[in-house]
Amino acid sequence: MPGKALITGGAGFIGSHLAELLLEQGWEVYALDDVSTGSMENLAGLTERDDFHLVVESVLSPAVVSELVHKCDVVYHLAAVVGVQLIVEQPGHTLLTNIQGTENVLEYCTKFGKRVLVASSSEVYGDHPEEQLLAEDARRIYGPTTARRWAYADSKAIDEFLALAWHEERGLDCIIARLFNTVGPRQSGQYGMVIPRFVSSALGERPLEVHGDGMQTRCFCHVSDTVRGLMGLMDSGVSGALFNIGSQERIAIGELAKRVRAKAGSSSEITFVPYEDVFPHGSMEEMFHRVPSIEKIGAAIGWAPTKTLDEILDDVIAFERSRVETAA
Ligand code: NAD
């Protein structure tokens, strides 16, 4: 039975799509967000609804988190510092927000007996050189602490450890979703996310900047599939477990640039920029391939992605075009 759901990071890219899905299913939604990387634009059409409440505060505030967790029946914890660029630029801020914020949420979910879903990341797997499918029990392979990008992976790994520990030691009802690259309308390209960055450059006839040699591959999952997976996991009742959510359709980033350019009907140049020129020396280490195994979530809740990369690109291009036209 739908009740009240709290989404931390509810004004963000994934959080706002999740809010829409929950409202559609009859939930009353509380969104807690400091609107740092999220935006009011993401919530267009939601803020005037009686069953949607936005609280502009930080997940680092125990008093705010306590009150909202107490009020709600379930909690989706998505608030975090996200995006390679932000993480490389502000590793301390990343660690603090992602670890202390999660600690707060988990503390009050434990105290008030509320079920919580923690959004983790495929970054937790680290840098696997082989092209194997990553299953939830794969080893984690990390670089040195001087390469700042690992601050994000470590912060998410600590979140997972803490959720699993409170489950064992204090009976916390929790589930962890390890999200692989999620894309779709409303994702900002401002913090280094590749598809919105490429689409915006292609539509503006600016060069599409590929970092590295473009041979690194990624899989992209449509946000509508991702939020369906998050809700499915929450509803499953499974506790103290973690699940991958992601697409298995792989593409090399150089190839992705060509595909975006063709789909956008653009004549933009494609340029290749060494990592050292984009990120401060030694702070960035690229991961070459990352494909999820989705056997576990398939067996548990029958989830699989439904949208292809071509459909995703069409969707993002159409969204960006309408955004540019509205702004003009
Ligand atoms: P996003 O940046 O759009 O969402 C994060 C939200 O958290 C933003 O709205 C931001 O304003 C908010 N936030 C940040 N610090 C906060 C604070 N101190 N208090 C309250 N709110 C705060 O990014 P997203 O892609 O929607 O990510 C949502 C979650 O999914 C994150 O936990 C992220 O780590 C995880 N994730 C995303 C991807 C992806 O590909 N998009 C992949 C793996 C994991």
Side-chain angles (χ1 to χ4, degrees):
M1 270 291 282
K4 292 178 183 168
L6 170 62
I7 307 175
T8 72
F13 160 57
I14 300 177
S16 62
H17 283 276
L18 178 62
E20 285 172 354
L21 179 65
L22 288 168
L23 289 165
E24 225 176 87
Q25 307 283 326
W27 286 83
E28 183 172 352
V29 173
Y30 286 78
L32 166 62
D33 202 300
D34 68 356
V35 200
S36 47
T37 54
S39 71
M40 297 306 290
E41 203 186 333
N42 287 343
L43 301 174
L46 297 189
T47 40
E48 55 272 19
R49 291 179 63 137
D50 292 340
D51 50 1
F52 179 82
H53 317 275
L54 172 66
V55 179
V56 181
E57 280 281 359
S58 175
V59 79
L60 295 171
S61 160
V64 173
V65 172
S66 163
E67 191 191 327
L68 286 169
V69 170
H70 187 258
K71 194 180 279 182
C72 292
D73 302 301
V74 297
V75 178
Y76 291 86
H77 177 45
L78 272 63
V81 177
V82 191
V84 175
Q85 209 167 307
L86 267 182
I87 285 140
V88 168
E89 281 166 16
Q90 304 175 18
H93 174 61
T94 301
L95 287 164
L96 192 80
T97 306
N98 295 6
I99 297 175
Q100 240 175 48
T102 302
E103 197 185 320
N104 267 341
V105 170
L106 297 183
E107 181 58 33
Y108 291 105
C109 287
T110 307
K111 189 168 172 190
F112 300 130
K114 303 297 165 80
R115 179 165 168 80
V116 59
L117 178 144
V118 176
S120 183
S121 165
S122 60
E123 289 272 329
V124 165
Y125 289 107
D127 184 12
H128 280 253
E130 317 91 51
E131 298 191 19
Q132 90 248 30
L133 297 183
L134 292 167
E136 287 80 353
D137 57 358
R139 298 189 73 77
R140 295 175 296 126
I141 306 175
Y142 287 8
T145 49
T146 44
R148 295 179 185 181
R149 78 160 296 150
W150 298 111
Y152 178 66
D154 272 326
S155 70
K156 289 287 179 177
I158 295 284
D159 291 352
E160 292 191 5
F161 275 127
L162 197 60
L164 295 171
W166 284 163
H167 173 74
E168 286 294 321
E169 293 172 33
R170 301 170 68 196
L172 172 67
D173 185 6
C174 67
I175 192 153
I176 298 164
R178 271 191 193 155
L179 306 183
F180 284 63
N181 284 82
T182 301
V183 292
R186 295 188 209 140
Q187 186 172 39
S188 166
Q190 219 182 326
Y191 312 105
M193 310 304 186
V194 66
I195 288 189
R197 210 165 45 77
F198 280 176
V199 168
S200 149
S201 299
L203 294 179
E205 297 292 342
R206 295 185 302 277
L208 273 65
E209 217 177 72
V210 175
H211 301 161
D213 64 6
M215 299 301 283
Q216 69 277 26
T217 66
R218 289 292 179 277
C219 302
F220 298 96
C221 188
H222 195 284
V223 65
S224 60
D225 281 327
T226 300
V227 296
R228 189 170 47 79
L230 294 178
M231 207 178 153
L233 288 177
M234 177 63 92
D235 290 350
S236 71
V238 178
S239 201
L242 58 92
F243 294 89
N244 287 338
I245 295 187
S247 158
Q248 295 181 316
E249 188 183 346
R250 214 151 69 111
I251 188 164
I253 298 299
E255 196 48 45
L256 176 70
K258 286 190 205 154
R259 184 121 33 125
V260 168
R261 182 174 64 178
K263 277 189 168 289
S266 163
S267 50
S268 288
E269 193 191 342
I270 295 175
T271 57
F272 293 83
V273 185
Y275 286 108
E276 308 81 78
D277 292 0
V278 187
F279 300 100
H281 185 68
S283 65
M284 181 64 185
E285 289 190 336
E286 179 55 300
M287 277 163 226
F288 291 99
H289 309 286
R290 216 191 277 150
V291 189
S293 161
I294 49 173
E295 218 174 286
K296 191 172 170 189
I297 189 170
I301 62 167
W303 182 90
T306 60
K307 297 217 171 159
T308 63
L309 179 60
D310 278 331
E311 289 172 304
I312 292 172
L313 294 180
D314 289 341
D315 228 7
V316 176
I317 290 168
F319 175 79
E320 279 303 318
R321 274 215 171 98
S322 72
R323 199 154 73 156
V324 171
E325 277 160 21
T326 314

